[in-house]
Amino acid sequence: MGMHEYIEGLSNLETLNRAPGFFKYQEHTVAAHSFKVAEIAQLLGDIEEESGQTVNWQRLYEKALNHDYTERFIGDIKTPVKYATHELRRQLAEVESRMTQNFIENEIPEFLQERYMRRLSEGKDETLEGQILSVADKVDLLYESFGEIQKGNPQSVYLDIFRESLSTIIQFKSLKSVQYFLNEVLPDLLNEQFADRARLVAISDELLKRQ
Amino acid sequence: MGMHEYIEGLSNLETLNRAPGFFKYQEHTVAAHSFKVAEIAQLLGDIEEESGQTVNWQRLYEKALNHDYTERFIGDIKTPVKYATHELRRQLAEVESRMTQNFIENEIPEFLQERYMRRLSEGKDETLEGQILSVADKVDLLYESFGEIQKGNPQSVYLDIFRESLSTIIQFKSLKSVQYFLNEVLPDLLNEQFADRARLVAISDELLKRQ
Amino acid sequence: MGMHEYIEGLSNLETLNRAPGFFKYQEHTVAAHSFKVAEIAQLLGDIEEESGQTVNWQRLYEKALNHDYTERFIGDIKTPVKYATHELRRQLAEVESRMTQNFIENEIPEFLQERYMRRLSEGKDETLEGQILSVADKVDLLYESFGEIQKGNPQSVYLDIFRESLSTIIQFKSLKSVQYFLNEVLPDLLNEQFADRARLVAISDELLKRQ
Amino acid sequence: MGMHEYIEGLSNLETLNRAPGFFKYQEHTVAAHSFKVAEIAQLLGDIEEESGQTVNWQRLYEKALNHDYTERFIGDIKTPVKYATHELRRQLAEVESRMTQNFIENEIPEFLQERYMRRLSEGKDETLEGQILSVADKVDLLYESFGEIQKGNPQSVYLDIFRESLSTIIQFKSLKSVQYFLNEVLPDLLNEQFADRARLVAISDELLKRQ
Amino acid sequence: MGMHEYIEGLSNLETLNRAPGFFKYQEHTVAAHSFKVAEIAQLLGDIEEESGQTVNWQRLYEKALNHDYTERFIGDIKTPVKYATHELRRQLAEVESRMTQNFIENEIPEFLQERYMRRLSEGKDETLEGQILSVADKVDLLYESFGEIQKGNPQSVYLDIFRESLSTIIQFKSLKSVQYFLNEVLPDLLNEQFADRARLVAISDELLKRQ
Amino acid sequence: MGMHEYIEGLSNLETLNRAPGFFKYQEHTVAAHSFKVAEIAQLLGDIEEESGQTVNWQRLYEKALNHDYTERFIGDIKTPVKYATHELRRQLAEVESRMTQNFIENEIPEFLQERYMRRLSEGKDETLEGQILSVADKVDLLYESFGEIQKGNPQSVYLDIFRESLSTIIQFKSLKSVQYFLNEVLPDLLNEQFADRARLVAISDELLKRQ
């Protein structure tokens, strides 16, 4: 048992769409999302390091790259489902976690199991790298919803996602990298030309004032 | 000038197909390929480390993740074009490299330029991490061509790609991770059921014997 | 609260693919599958009626048409997942059933709730109509896998699905409509020209002999 | 001659798009449309029954499910074509009807021919079930055009379709199920957030006032 | 009334697929087919001219480029439909021809009507250019079916189309350009590597012998 | 060496998208674009001829049909790339031109090489036909950008393309066919209903006044 099954399974993430049927202009696969989150985490890590923090780069890349691998087993159903209660969502997370364990025991050679146990478990912990992952995941979601808004999609659900993503990012505002994002990246995004610019600026201003 | 343009540009790589029109059953985007190469490089790095090598994980992830970012500027045209001579290919590479430089000067804040100059330049150097990238890039291409062969695509060009990828991987056979791939992963791949199994086994055997 | 949400939600089933990433030549949406199962159930009902059985047509159409509506809530993950144990699959079914209940309570007006409770619960019961649904669901799956085999897809998983579907259909061989399917429809299917004809005939013969 | 050809032909309706090239955000196949019309007819039948009418459920489901099967032969060209006169459209309908007859004689076993003659002929007659089909067909078209309007498609042709669909529905306003649709479903639809809300409300109000 | 409607209508032909649902590996739009037929006709015209024939190039390009424009009105339903008799097909052709006339009268300015009447009527007449169009149309169809066969599509219908196309081309074998195609182009096509090569060679040999 | 490779290569242009990832509502292949440009050139040629000019129809069709064939070799990267300087663009054009030459020498029989050298080189010269090609190429681009604007795409880049296309067309305003386009076609286009009508009219008026 080598890692053939693991490598071959990567292509599943190339065909698995995030939130199937949700995005109207551009669909996003789990593989592409993982790539973008790793790129964004890399940038946030740069800022932290430039600000004097010590970044464990191995952990940061590892967390970002692998954080959605387990969607292979149960799909993207952790995504808020309107009719799922908190309890039902907890049950789904548990099912996913146990399928992941079955996968590791069946497909990963023993001498690598510990590494993959770490990589395929929840990465959003309290470490600096875990916090950067939480932020990077939401930055990509914010850009995904912005992609819809920018192209004129008038459904309010994208404004909701934008608001909710930005709101989560702001919770990490003690991080220098989040301050950089809010001060240097977000204004450029809001300066682009698009139909709903006024509403997006209003939402952003309101969230930023509340800090 | 923050990094808005850089982050927004990531979604270009989500829509840019590798070798447009080449793969018949499953297309691959540059973003998904980058994700898979980083995952494969991570695995090869594991094996090296378990074999006693020292892996610079930051460099390894960085190289793998960013190695095709510059395709954003000129597309996937380094791919062998039948009518391009060696000289024409060299000219194209030079054009790409100068566009990359223009991009970094225009879009990356000065304090980050050195980091991105490193990330967006050729990563396949003589270091252990550079060699792992060379192998990981070909392992993904080998699996991409296998994906076509396995689904019954009878055009010989996929067998050619499989052969050429495996042949390049074998050139790095002094690496423990390549030995692991040849001994533990490739046999499982060749054991799957598919129409052209006999020819693929023959190709592999022949290449492996020549070592 | 009228039924706007219910009607609008039908279009979710138009975009939700069955077993995402599984079928290579032709994808099937839940809406199209439901249509085909209802058409097939209608035909099986015809045969039963012509054979002297009494068919409750309202129940038959209702069962067939609505049998996968609840996939809207949790997707097509009841599909055999390699790493899900029996226990994990039971938990998923329970989660889906409770989300369905939440949906009915929140979106269906009270005077219609009983009807939809019946329609959105498991339809494959011991009644003649429930048995026909079980058969029709597998006949469509058999044709879906045949669609892949016929187009030359050499992966053995489609032969497995064909075998497993036919095997389930045969379990209901006391039904006149199943006898009709085995004697009058299956032979025409096996008479079509395709690469793997010999293997498919062998599989079918073997299953039919075992009866 | 069993029904293999009929069952296999169902998958044609999975790949045949309604009004090819017309819908910009979401295409609709004939199979998915048939499923949705049957679901909507089921709901309208519920309301009629709750209002004391006797519904022939077998006929209702049968009409709704099969009403567009014959598009398999000539495609969706009954759709208003700008340059077709009334006379030309009549000729096309006749051609389609004769192809259907050829199909039934060649592919349906004799003992089932009468059933399929009934199912594949025009279902929109004066019976309660025929009227419900007329309404359900337009409710789905109304939602299809609403899907475009809601996503911001500014071309006036979708408003025209919305108007024309609603106008046909209103012609059946003596049906309790239509009154329910106008009073309980349409207001929820018009309450959703979308760019052209004002114009859609105006169109609806105008049509409703004229009654 | 200028030609805005005509130009805008060209994009309809970009979205209209030839024989919808027929080709499994690569769909072909009417616009792309028209382009390819014009390119092939250009090549056949070259050969005629090199062989000493006089080619009316304006007529040749005009015929090839516009020969399927009228599919805009009635779609690609002249394609052999299994259940259409010769009489029904004639009726459809008549409907299409009258819609074309309505279009010209309504949308083309009077001073250009004669030109478009010529361009949008049947081009496959007895002139050299009309014969070249007949051949070029079939050469493209032959390559379209070859595209399926070459990629391993085992359904015999593509062999039928290949045979029927080649058979029509051979009927024009008194043309030098057809002799060139049979002697210089077809052998290279048959020399490519693909699964069904033997059968295709056999079909071609048989047809060529019968001459 | 016949022309098999040339004919087979036509289908590459069917799968090659213009400006990949740029158009959001409707993608355009190089084959479809070539067809449309040839149709538009044909119309512009009509007007010139009706105005008393002598049109070399063979050259006009030839130029229009073949003007983008060489994109097969290097893709659509002559399209303004933000980070390409004038010098880099010149180098790319040179690479493309030399690949074209390699193609002609390797794949076109000698007795046809001169014809294809003419067809595959730059067609936008000072002749009437070369000028018509320049205009037709921009008219199609103008309609492609209008297709996005009309469907509500609010990104200003499509207005930029519209402006730039119209501006180039106006440079050829000494041609009768351009006068016809500006006076008889453009007003009908601007009279259609769409969200950004006011801005498009303003842009057009401004450009037309500057003449």
Side-chain angles (χ1 to χ4, degrees):
Chain A
M1 183 182 63
M3 291 287 283
H4 168 58
E5 171 64 29
Y6 185 85
I7 300 178
E8 197 168 35
L10 293 172
S11 89
N12 288 4
L13 302 180
E14 270 189 287
T15 54
L16 199 60
N17 280 332
R18 271 162 67 76
F22 181 78
F23 295 104
K24 305 302 177 194
Y25 287 83
Q26 184 177 352
E27 299 241 53
H28 305 280
T29 66
V30 176
H33 167 68
S34 300
F35 164 72
K36 291 184 296 170
V37 169
E39 284 276 351
I40 294 164
Q42 173 182 268
L43 169 62
L44 300 175
D46 285 345
I47 309 293
E48 292 298 327
E49 203 169 67
E50 294 282 336
S51 311
Q53 299 295 316
T54 302
V55 175
N56 182 332
W57 284 98
Q58 179 178 10
R59 281 298 172 274
L60 182 57
Y61 280 117
E62 187 178 279
K63 277 172 184 291
L65 200 62
N66 301 291
H67 81 289
D68 272 347
Y69 186 93
T70 60
E71 298 213 344
R72 211 189 127 183
F73 308 126
I74 199 172
D76 193 11
I77 59 178
K78 284 180 303 188
T79 301
V81 179
K82 211 173 160 186
Y83 306 105
T85 59
H86 181 74
E87 166 63 10
L88 292 176
R89 236 164 281 171
R90 201 196 48 70
Q91 280 184 35
L92 283 170
E94 193 192 305
V95 169
E96 187 181 11
S97 149
R98 287 173 55 195
M99 278 197 213
T100 303
Q101 199 151 352
N102 291 348
F103 169 74
I104 290 175
E105 282 162 19
N106 287 318
E107 304 290 355
I108 307 284
E110 223 179 301
F111 76 104
L112 293 175
Q113 287 188 356
E114 199 187 309
R115 290 169 182 257
Y116 282 89
M117 200 60 93
R118 183 181 74 221
R119 285 168 187 161
L120 305 190
S121 63
E122 181 55 55
K124 292 175 181 171
D125 52 30
E126 293 307 303
T127 61
L128 175 61
E129 294 76 21
Q131 292 184 59
I132 291 178
L133 170 58
S134 296
V135 173
D137 200 18
K138 290 302 180 187
V139 168
D140 190 48
L141 185 56
L142 182 148
Y143 270 88
E144 286 179 343
S145 64
F146 177 63
E148 297 289 316
I149 294 162
Q150 187 188 34
K151 288 175 198 77
N153 196 323
Q155 294 184 282
S156 56
V157 68
Y158 302 106
L159 293 172
D160 296 346
I161 299 277
F162 187 93
R163 179 187 290 110
E164 186 258 315
S165 304
L166 185 52
S167 168
T168 303
I169 293 166
I170 289 176
Q171 286 168 26
F172 292 89
K173 68 174 182 285
S174 63
L175 296 181
K176 295 287 184 198
S177 56
V178 169
Q179 292 165 26
Y180 178 86
F181 177 77
L182 297 175
N183 296 328
E184 306 291 334
V185 178
L186 189 61
D188 282 358
L189 179 155
L190 294 173
N191 261 336
E192 299 224 354
Q193 291 239 343
F194 51 93
D196 258 349
R197 202 183 157 256
R199 277 165 82 187
L200 218 55
V201 170
I203 286 171
S204 302
D205 283 353
E206 193 198 317
L207 286 171
L208 290 168
K209 263 179 222 151
R210 277 206 221 138
Q211 295 180 54
Chain B
M1 184 181 63
M3 291 287 283
H4 169 58
E5 171 64 29
Y6 185 85
I7 300 178
E8 197 168 34
L10 293 172
S11 88
N12 288 4
L13 302 181
E14 272 188 285
T15 55
L16 199 60
N17 280 332
R18 269 163 69 75
F22 181 79
F23 296 104
K24 304 303 177 194
Y25 287 82
Q26 183 176 351
E27 299 242 53
H28 305 280
T29 67
V30 176
H33 167 67
S34 301
F35 163 72
K36 291 183 297 170
V37 169
E39 284 276 351
I40 293 164
Q42 175 182 264
L43 170 62
L44 300 175
D46 285 345
I47 309 294
E48 293 298 328
E49 203 169 67
E50 294 283 335
S51 312
Q53 299 294 316
T54 301
V55 175
N56 181 332
W57 285 99
Q58 179 179 8
R59 280 297 172 276
L60 181 57
Y61 280 117
E62 187 177 279
K63 276 172 185 290
L65 201 62
N66 301 291
H67 81 288
D68 271 347
Y69 186 93
T70 59
E71 298 214 343
R72 208 188 130 184
F73 307 125
I74 200 171
D76 193 11
I77 58 179
K78 282 179 304 188
T79 302
V81 180
K82 209 171 160 186
Y83 306 106
T85 59
H86 182 74
E87 165 64 9
L88 292 177
R89 237 165 281 170
R90 199 196 50 69
Q91 280 185 34
L92 282 170
E94 192 191 306
V95 169
E96 188 182 11
S97 149
R98 286 172 56 194
M99 278 197 213
T100 303
Q101 199 151 350
N102 291 349
F103 169 73
I104 289 176
E105 281 162 19
N106 287 319
E107 304 290 353
I108 308 285
E110 224 178 301
F111 76 103
L112 294 175
Q113 286 188 356
E114 199 188 308
R115 290 169 183 256
Y116 282 90
M117 200 60 94
R118 185 182 72 220
R119 286 169 188 163
L120 305 190
S121 63
E122 181 55 55
K124 293 176 181 169
D125 53 30
E126 293 306 303
T127 62
L128 175 60
E129 294 77 22
Q131 293 184 58
I132 292 178
L133 170 57
S134 295
V135 173
D137 200 18
K138 289 301 181 188
V139 169
D140 190 49
L141 185 56
L142 182 148
Y143 269 88
E144 286 179 343
S145 64
F146 177 63
E148 297 289 317
I149 293 163
Q150 186 188 35
K151 288 176 197 77
N153 196 323
Q155 294 183 283
S156 56
V157 68
Y158 302 106
L159 294 172
D160 297 345
I161 299 276
F162 187 93
R163 178 187 291 109
E164 185 259 316
S165 304
L166 185 52
S167 167
T168 304
I169 294 167
I170 289 175
Q171 287 169 25
F172 292 89
K173 68 174 183 285
S174 62
L175 295 182
K176 295 289 185 198
S177 55
V178 168
Q179 293 165 25
Y180 178 86
F181 177 78
L182 297 175
N183 298 327
E184 307 291 333
V185 178
L186 188 62
D188 282 359
L189 179 155
L190 293 173
N191 262 335
E192 299 224 354
Q193 291 239 343
F194 51 92
D196 258 349
R197 199 181 160 258
R199 277 166 82 188
L200 220 54
V201 170
I203 287 171
S204 302
D205 282 353
E206 193 198 318
L207 286 171
L208 290 168
K209 264 179 221 150
R210 277 205 221 139
Q211 295 179 52
Chain C
M1 183 181 63
M3 291 287 282
H4 168 58
E5 171 65 28
Y6 185 85
I7 301 177
E8 197 168 34
L10 293 172
S11 87
N12 289 3
L13 302 180
E14 269 188 287
T15 55
L16 200 59
N17 280 333
R18 270 162 69 75
F22 181 79
F23 295 106
K24 305 301 176 194
Y25 287 82
Q26 184 177 352
E27 298 241 53
H28 305 280
T29 67
V30 176
H33 167 68
S34 301
F35 163 73
K36 291 183 297 169
V37 168
E39 284 277 350
I40 294 164
Q42 175 181 264
L43 170 62
L44 300 175
D46 286 345
I47 308 294
E48 292 299 326
E49 203 169 69
E50 293 283 335
S51 312
Q53 300 295 315
T54 303
V55 175
N56 182 333
W57 285 99
Q58 179 179 9
R59 280 299 171 274
L60 182 57
Y61 280 118
E62 187 178 280
K63 277 173 185 292
L65 201 63
N66 302 291
H67 81 286
D68 272 347
Y69 185 92
T70 60
E71 298 213 343
R72 209 190 127 182
F73 307 125
I74 199 173
D76 193 9
I77 58 177
K78 282 181 305 190
T79 301
V81 179
K82 211 173 162 185
Y83 306 105
T85 60
H86 182 73
E87 166 64 8
L88 292 177
R89 237 166 280 172
R90 202 196 48 69
Q91 278 184 35
L92 283 170
E94 194 192 304
V95 169
E96 186 180 12
S97 150
R98 287 173 56 195
M99 278 197 214
T100 303
Q101 200 151 348
N102 292 348
F103 169 73
I104 291 176
E105 281 162 21
N106 287 318
E107 304 290 353
I108 308 285
E110 222 178 302
F111 77 103
L112 294 175
Q113 286 187 356
E114 198 187 308
R115 290 170 183 256
Y116 282 89
M117 200 60 94
R118 186 181 72 222
R119 285 168 187 162
L120 304 190
S121 63
E122 180 55 57
K124 293 175 181 170
D125 54 28
E126 294 306 302
T127 63
L128 176 60
E129 294 77 21
Q131 292 183 59
I132 291 178
L133 170 58
S134 295
V135 173
D137 200 19
K138 289 301 180 187
V139 169
D140 190 50
L141 185 57
L142 183 148
Y143 269 88
E144 286 180 342
S145 64
F146 177 64
E148 298 289 316
I149 293 162
Q150 186 188 35
K151 288 175 199 77
N153 195 323
Q155 294 183 283
S156 58
V157 68
Y158 302 105
L159 293 172
D160 296 345
I161 299 276
F162 187 92
R163 178 186 291 111
E164 185 259 315
S165 304
L166 185 53
S167 168
T168 303
I169 294 166
I170 289 175
Q171 287 168 25
F172 291 89
K173 69 174 182 285
S174 63
L175 296 182
K176 295 288 186 200
S177 55
V178 168
Q179 294 164 25
Y180 178 86
F181 177 78
L182 297 175
N183 297 328
E184 306 292 333
V185 178
L186 188 61
D188 283 359
L189 179 154
L190 293 173
N191 263 334
E192 298 225 354
Q193 291 238 344
F194 51 93
D196 259 349
R197 201 182 159 257
R199 277 165 82 188
L200 219 54
V201 170
I203 287 171
S204 302
D205 282 353
E206 192 199 317
L207 286 172
L208 290 167
K209 263 178 223 151
R210 277 204 220 140
Q211 293 181 55
Chain D
M1 182 182 63
M3 291 287 282
H4 168 60
E5 170 66 28
Y6 185 85
I7 300 178
E8 196 168 35
L10 293 172
S11 87
N12 288 4
L13 303 180
E14 271 189 286
T15 54
L16 200 58
N17 280 333
R18 270 162 69 74
F22 181 79
F23 295 105
K24 304 301 177 196
Y25 287 83
Q26 185 176 353
E27 299 241 54
H28 305 281
T29 67
V30 176
H33 167 68
S34 301
F35 164 72
K36 290 183 296 168
V37 168
E39 284 276 350
I40 294 164
Q42 174 181 266
L43 170 62
L44 300 175
D46 286 345
I47 309 294
E48 292 299 325
E49 203 170 67
E50 293 283 336
S51 312
Q53 300 294 315
T54 301
V55 175
N56 182 331
W57 284 100
Q58 180 179 7
R59 281 298 172 275
L60 182 57
Y61 280 117
E62 186 178 281
K63 277 172 185 292
L65 201 62
N66 302 290
H67 82 287
D68 271 347
Y69 185 93
T70 60
E71 298 213 343
R72 207 188 129 183
F73 308 126
I74 200 173
D76 193 12
I77 60 178
K78 284 180 304 187
T79 302
V81 180
K82 210 172 161 187
Y83 306 104
T85 60
H86 182 74
E87 167 63 10
L88 291 177
R89 237 165 278 173
R90 202 197 47 70
Q91 280 185 35
L92 281 171
E94 195 192 303
V95 169
E96 186 181 12
S97 149
R98 287 173 57 195
M99 277 196 213
T100 302
Q101 201 151 347
N102 291 348
F103 169 73
I104 289 176
E105 282 162 20
N106 287 319
E107 303 291 353
I108 308 284
E110 224 179 300
F111 76 104
L112 294 175
Q113 286 188 358
E114 200 188 306
R115 291 170 183 256
Y116 282 88
M117 200 59 95
R118 185 182 72 222
R119 286 169 186 161
L120 304 191
S121 63
E122 179 56 55
K124 294 176 180 169
D125 55 28
E126 293 306 302
T127 62
L128 175 59
E129 294 76 20
Q131 292 184 58
I132 291 178
L133 170 57
S134 295
V135 173
D137 200 19
K138 289 301 181 188
V139 168
D140 190 49
L141 185 56
L142 183 147
Y143 269 88
E144 286 179 343
S145 64
F146 177 63
E148 297 289 317
I149 294 162
Q150 186 188 33
K151 289 176 197 77
N153 195 323
Q155 294 184 283
S156 56
V157 68
Y158 302 105
L159 293 171
D160 296 346
I161 298 278
F162 187 93
R163 178 187 289 110
E164 186 259 316
S165 304
L166 185 53
S167 168
T168 304
I169 294 166
I170 289 175
Q171 286 169 26
F172 292 89
K173 67 173 183 286
S174 63
L175 296 181
K176 294 289 187 199
S177 57
V178 168
Q179 293 164 25
Y180 178 86
F181 176 79
L182 297 175
N183 297 327
E184 306 291 334
V185 178
L186 188 60
D188 283 359
L189 180 155
L190 294 173
N191 262 335
E192 298 223 355
Q193 290 240 342
F194 51 93
D196 257 349
R197 199 180 160 259
R199 278 165 82 186
L200 219 55
V201 170
I203 287 171
S204 303
D205 281 353
E206 193 197 316
L207 286 171
L208 291 167
K209 263 179 221 151
R210 280 207 218 137
Q211 293 180 55
Chain E
M1 184 181 64
M3 291 288 282
H4 168 59
E5 171 65 28
Y6 186 84
I7 300 177
E8 196 168 34
L10 293 172
S11 86
N12 288 4
L13 302 180
E14 269 188 287
T15 55
L16 200 59
N17 280 333
R18 270 163 69 76
F22 181 79
F23 295 105
K24 305 301 177 195
Y25 287 83
Q26 183 176 354
E27 299 242 53
H28 305 280
T29 67
V30 177
H33 167 69
S34 301
F35 164 73
K36 290 183 297 169
V37 169
E39 284 277 349
I40 294 164
Q42 175 182 266
L43 169 63
L44 300 175
D46 285 345
I47 309 293
E48 293 299 326
E49 203 170 67
E50 294 283 335
S51 312
Q53 299 295 314
T54 303
V55 175
N56 182 333
W57 285 99
Q58 179 179 8
R59 280 298 173 274
L60 181 57
Y61 280 117
E62 187 178 280
K63 277 172 184 291
L65 201 62
N66 301 290
H67 81 288
D68 272 346
Y69 186 93
T70 60
E71 297 213 344
R72 212 190 125 181
F73 307 125
I74 200 172
D76 193 11
I77 60 180
K78 283 179 304 187
T79 302
V81 180
K82 211 172 160 187
Y83 306 106
T85 60
H86 181 74
E87 166 63 10
L88 292 177
R89 237 164 280 173
R90 201 197 47 71
Q91 280 185 34
L92 282 170
E94 195 192 303
V95 169
E96 186 182 12
S97 149
R98 287 173 55 196
M99 278 198 215
T100 303
Q101 200 151 349
N102 291 348
F103 169 74
I104 290 176
E105 281 163 19
N106 288 318
E107 304 290 354
I108 308 285
E110 223 179 301
F111 76 103
L112 294 175
Q113 287 188 356
E114 199 187 308
R115 290 169 183 256
Y116 281 88
M117 200 60 93
R118 185 182 72 221
R119 286 169 186 161
L120 305 190
S121 63
E122 181 55 56
K124 294 175 180 170
D125 53 29
E126 293 306 301
T127 62
L128 174 60
E129 293 77 22
Q131 293 184 59
I132 291 178
L133 170 57
S134 296
V135 173
D137 200 17
K138 289 301 181 189
V139 169
D140 190 49
L141 185 56
L142 184 147
Y143 269 88
E144 286 179 343
S145 64
F146 177 63
E148 297 289 317
I149 293 162
Q150 186 188 34
K151 289 176 197 77
N153 195 322
Q155 294 184 284
S156 56
V157 68
Y158 302 105
L159 293 172
D160 296 346
I161 299 276
F162 187 93
R163 178 188 290 111
E164 186 258 316
S165 304
L166 185 53
S167 169
T168 303
I169 293 166
I170 289 175
Q171 286 169 26
F172 292 89
K173 68 174 183 286
S174 62
L175 296 182
K176 295 288 187 201
S177 56
V178 168
Q179 293 164 26
Y180 178 86
F181 177 79
L182 297 175
N183 297 328
E184 306 291 333
V185 178
L186 189 61
D188 282 358
L189 180 154
L190 294 173
N191 261 335
E192 299 224 354
Q193 290 238 342
F194 51 93
D196 258 350
R197 199 180 161 259
R199 278 165 82 188
L200 218 56
V201 170
I203 287 172
S204 302
D205 282 353
E206 192 198 318
L207 286 171
L208 291 167
K209 264 176 223 153
R210 279 206 221 137
Q211 296 180 53
Chain F
M1 183 181 63
M3 291 288 282
H4 168 58
E5 170 65 29
Y6 186 84
I7 300 178
E8 197 168 34
L10 293 172
S11 88
N12 288 4
L13 302 180
E14 271 189 285
T15 54
L16 199 60
N17 280 332
R18 269 162 68 76
F22 181 79
F23 295 105
K24 306 301 176 194
Y25 287 84
Q26 185 177 350
E27 298 241 54
H28 305 281
T29 67
V30 176
H33 167 68
S34 301
F35 163 73
K36 292 182 296 170
V37 168
E39 284 277 349
I40 294 163
Q42 175 181 266
L43 170 62
L44 300 175
D46 286 345
I47 308 294
E48 293 298 326
E49 203 168 68
E50 293 283 335
S51 312
Q53 300 295 316
T54 302
V55 175
N56 182 333
W57 284 98
Q58 179 179 7
R59 280 299 172 274
L60 181 57
Y61 280 117
E62 188 178 279
K63 277 173 184 290
L65 201 62
N66 302 291
H67 81 288
D68 272 346
Y69 185 92
T70 59
E71 298 214 342
R72 208 188 129 184
F73 307 126
I74 200 172
D76 194 10
I77 58 176
K78 282 180 306 187
T79 302
V81 180
K82 212 173 161 184
Y83 306 105
T85 59
H86 182 74
E87 165 64 9
L88 292 177
R89 237 165 281 171
R90 201 196 49 69
Q91 280 184 32
L92 283 170
E94 195 192 303
V95 169
E96 187 181 12
S97 150
R98 288 172 54 195
M99 278 197 213
T100 304
Q101 199 151 348
N102 291 349
F103 169 74
I104 290 176
E105 282 162 19
N106 288 318
E107 305 290 353
I108 308 285
E110 221 177 303
F111 77 104
L112 294 175
Q113 286 187 357
E114 198 187 310
R115 290 170 183 256
Y116 282 89
M117 200 59 95
R118 184 182 73 221
R119 286 169 186 160
L120 305 191
S121 63
E122 180 55 55
K124 293 175 180 170
D125 54 27
E126 292 306 302
T127 63
L128 175 60
E129 294 77 21
Q131 292 185 58
I132 291 178
L133 170 57
S134 295
V135 173
D137 200 19
K138 289 301 181 188
V139 168
D140 190 49
L141 184 57
L142 182 147
Y143 269 88
E144 285 179 344
S145 64
F146 177 63
E148 298 289 317
I149 294 162
Q150 186 188 34
K151 289 175 197 79
N153 195 322
Q155 294 184 282
S156 56
V157 67
Y158 302 105
L159 294 172
D160 296 346
I161 299 278
F162 187 93
R163 178 187 290 112
E164 185 259 315
S165 305
L166 185 52
S167 168
T168 304
I169 294 167
I170 289 175
Q171 287 170 26
F172 292 88
K173 68 174 183 284
S174 63
L175 295 182
K176 294 288 186 200
S177 56
V178 168
Q179 293 165 26
Y180 177 85
F181 177 78
L182 297 175
N183 296 329
E184 305 292 333
V185 178
L186 188 62
D188 282 359
L189 179 155
L190 294 173
N191 262 336
E192 298 226 353
Q193 290 240 341
F194 51 92
D196 257 350
R197 200 182 159 256
R199 277 165 82 187
L200 219 55
V201 170
I203 287 171
S204 302
D205 283 353
E206 193 197 318
L207 286 171
L208 291 166
K209 263 179 222 150
R210 277 205 220 140
Q211 293 178 54

